[in-house]
Amino acid sequence: MSKSIEIPPLTARKNYKWELLILLWLAFFLNQADRQIFSVVLPLIRKDLGLSDAELGLIASALVWTYGLLVPIAGFIGDRFSRRNILGVSLVFWSLATLSTGFCTTLIQFVLLRGMATGGGEAFYAPSANSLLSEHHPKNRSLALSIHQTAVYFGIILSGLIAGYVGEHYGWQRAFFLFGSFGILLGIVFFLRVKKDVPAVVNNVVNRFNTEIIPTVGQVARIIIRKPTVWMLTLAFACMVFVNVGYLTWMPSFLAEKFGQSLTEAGFSSLFYHHAGAFLGVLMGGKIADRYAAKKPQSRLIVQSLGLLLGAPFIYLMSVSLSPTVTYAALFFFGIFRGWYDSNIVASLYEVVAPNIRSSAYGLMLACAFLVGATSPYILGVLKPTLGLSTGLSYLSFMYVLGAGLIGCAVVLFFERDKNR
């Protein structure tokens, strides 16, 4: 009589937490790559369709506005339903939107598909992904989240190189087709390999009668309102997003116009040096914070504040330099210190927010930050014909200084009262 073979559940697989990290890394890679394609092929779209700089900036802002409006909803959903299903559906949805963007021929089509559909799909990724990762990596949370964060840099760098090359040689439309198709395939693999999880509120909060306690939207908002540290972290994040979205949208065009570079060269150079630095910086920041946070939890916030403060001079230098070499060096060190900040975005918030509302709180934080940051591409596009991109980009350094000051205030005035106990 043959003996039946029992297949262990997916979550019992050896090293499952690392397989989950790899799959989420790939999904986050495409999340960032799909978002960046438009900026890389922007000059080709302008030439082909005759759109103005302000209209191109509006398309870029539409994605971030949509993201900002929907991400708090994504956060609340992420605390209440299977994060595996949320992540898989969002991956397939934004990938379909990316693929469809290749068929756009008018401003309104770009706003609807590249802006609203892609941004809407991507909004549901980060809150659930970070919550799920934190749950599976409780002892090395900053390290796991830092590794996950490196997908941002690889996604942006490779999208700059690949989309620039494909756009120059085969047309900007095929760049969207390529990345969108990969996302759909990854979505299928994701559903096959990742186990449906227990919602965070069910997994973390059970009262004395063993019934589920699910905080309402109003309860979550009231908890957050009472913690000024969360406000300061959110406002500082808004400053960083304002800089990042403006830089990502206009830097390829800046290098192409200022130094006469080809689309492929400008797309690669504008993104590689900065994100190579950020890759190193995020690993440094995560290790530094983990080392000191066990005894001094505010160390995560201090690392973030220093990252913004030290990065500000290099933002100014990259904007005003007359030498490509100096510009690349400035981009690299801007990236190093941006990585210090990035490595603790989620971990710092989690120091002052309870586990059962982390996805919701992170969603609200993202919403506020991206609604503010979304204005950056449009403002720079409007200023470009008069002040020029060099001056506009240099002003971004002031936002980093402001963000550093806000986090510093949180550390000195509010953290000790607000931290989890």
Side-chain angles (χ1 to χ4, degrees):
M1 189 174 177
S2 61
K3 194 174 183 179
S4 61
I5 300 175
E6 183 176 346
I7 299 175
L10 290 175
T11 50
R13 292 199 306 261
K14 186 178 181 180
N15 297 324
Y16 173 75
K17 66 179 183 179
W18 297 110
E19 180 182 356
L20 176 66
L21 177 58
I22 291 170
L23 289 171
L24 288 174
W25 191 97
L26 291 171
F28 204 21
F29 168 90
L30 286 172
N31 180 289
Q32 298 300 307
D34 291 355
R35 193 180 304 180
Q36 188 59 25
I37 297 169
F38 175 80
S39 299
V40 175
V41 299
L42 185 149
L44 294 177
I45 295 174
R46 180 201 289 119
K47 181 179 179 181
D48 189 23
L49 303 180
L51 298 176
S52 69
D53 290 321
E55 288 173 329
L56 293 167
L58 177 62
I59 295 168
S61 291
L63 183 146
V64 189
W65 278 322
T66 304
Y67 187 99
L69 288 170
L70 291 181
V71 77
I73 299 173
F76 285 107
I77 290 175
D79 280 334
R80 290 156 177 77
F81 299 96
S82 167
R83 287 158 289 182
R84 191 283 302 263
N85 289 348
I86 295 169
L87 292 167
V89 171
S90 69
L91 170 58
V92 173
F93 184 86
W94 90 61
S95 297
L96 283 170
T98 298
L99 189 150
S100 301
T101 302
F103 296 105
C104 291
T105 57
T106 66
L107 173 64
I108 188 63
Q109 289 173 350
F110 273 106
V111 170
L112 291 174
L113 282 172
R114 196 271 168 183
M116 298 177 68
T118 303
E122 291 183 352
F124 287 82
Y125 177 81
S128 291
N130 287 305
S131 175
L132 194 60
L133 268 182
S134 295
E135 185 177 293
H136 282 83
H137 293 265
K139 294 182 179 179
N140 55 351
R141 181 176 297 146
S142 277
L143 178 61
L145 292 171
S146 294
I147 293 172
H148 181 245
Q149 182 67 23
T150 63
V152 174
Y153 315 134
F154 280 95
I156 292 173
I157 291 170
L158 291 180
S159 69
L161 181 62
I162 297 170
Y165 180 84
V166 172
E168 276 194 318
H169 292 84
Y170 305 103
W172 60 266
Q173 295 91 340
R174 285 179 171 79
F176 289 100
F177 296 157
L178 177 65
F179 282 91
S181 299
F182 277 127
I184 295 169
L185 290 175
L186 179 62
I188 295 171
V189 174
F190 193 88
F191 275 113
L192 292 175
R193 297 298 299 173
V194 177
K195 175 70 175 179
K196 185 178 179 181
D197 58 299
V198 177
V201 290
V202 177
N203 194 42
N204 286 302
V205 183
V206 178
N207 69 11
R208 60 186 294 189
F209 301 107
N210 203 37
T211 58
E212 299 169 9
I213 301 175
I214 303 178
T216 65
V217 174
Q219 288 173 329
V220 173
R222 282 193 293 273
I223 292 170
I224 292 173
I225 287 171
R226 295 191 189 107
K227 296 198 172 190
T229 301
V230 178
W231 312 347
M232 296 296 178
L233 288 173
T234 300
L235 291 172
F237 190 29
C239 293
M240 181 270 179
V241 170
F242 188 92
V243 172
N244 195 50
V245 175
Y247 152 76
L248 289 175
T249 301
W250 288 109
M251 200 64 189
S253 297
F254 173 71
L255 291 183
E257 295 175 9
K258 187 168 186 176
F259 299 119
Q261 297 179 351
S262 68
L263 187 64
T264 302
E265 184 181 6
F268 176 76
S269 298
S270 64
L271 303 174
F272 174 77
Y273 297 102
H274 173 74
H275 291 94
F279 174 77
L280 296 176
V282 78
L283 296 178
M284 291 167 56
K287 292 293 288 185
I288 293 169
D290 276 344
R291 180 178 179 181
Y292 294 103
K295 293 184 178 179
K296 195 173 182 180
Q298 60 264 48
S299 297
R300 302 190 192 282
L301 284 76
I302 293 171
V303 170
Q304 285 189 290
S305 183
L306 287 173
L308 295 180
L309 187 62
L310 295 173
F314 295 103
I315 297 174
Y316 182 82
L317 182 59
M318 80 172 189
S319 306
V320 301
S321 170
L322 299 178
S323 164
T325 302
V326 175
T327 300
Y328 298 156
L331 281 167
F332 179 79
F333 285 103
F334 166 31
I336 286 279
F337 295 116
R338 177 259 177 98
W340 283 26
Y341 174 84
D342 282 356
S343 65
N344 289 281
I345 293 173
V346 179
S348 290
L349 179 68
Y350 287 1
E351 291 289 350
V352 293
V353 172
N356 64 307
I357 61 167
R358 282 175 174 170
S359 183
S360 302
Y362 187 51
L364 288 173
M365 182 182 184
L366 286 172
C368 297
F370 276 84
L371 288 173
V372 172
T375 60
S376 181
Y378 180 69
I379 291 172
L380 290 174
V382 171
L383 295 177
K384 182 174 178 285
T386 53
L387 295 180
L389 274 178
S390 182
T391 301
L393 289 170
S394 70
Y395 289 165
L396 296 178
S397 60
F398 295 107
M399 298 298 288
Y400 255 40
V401 175
L402 176 59
L406 289 166
I407 298 176
C409 287
V411 172
V412 174
L413 301 176
F414 306 114
F415 182 84
E416 190 60 33
R417 188 193 73 182
D418 292 343
K419 69 180 181 181
N420 290 326
R421 302 187 185 278

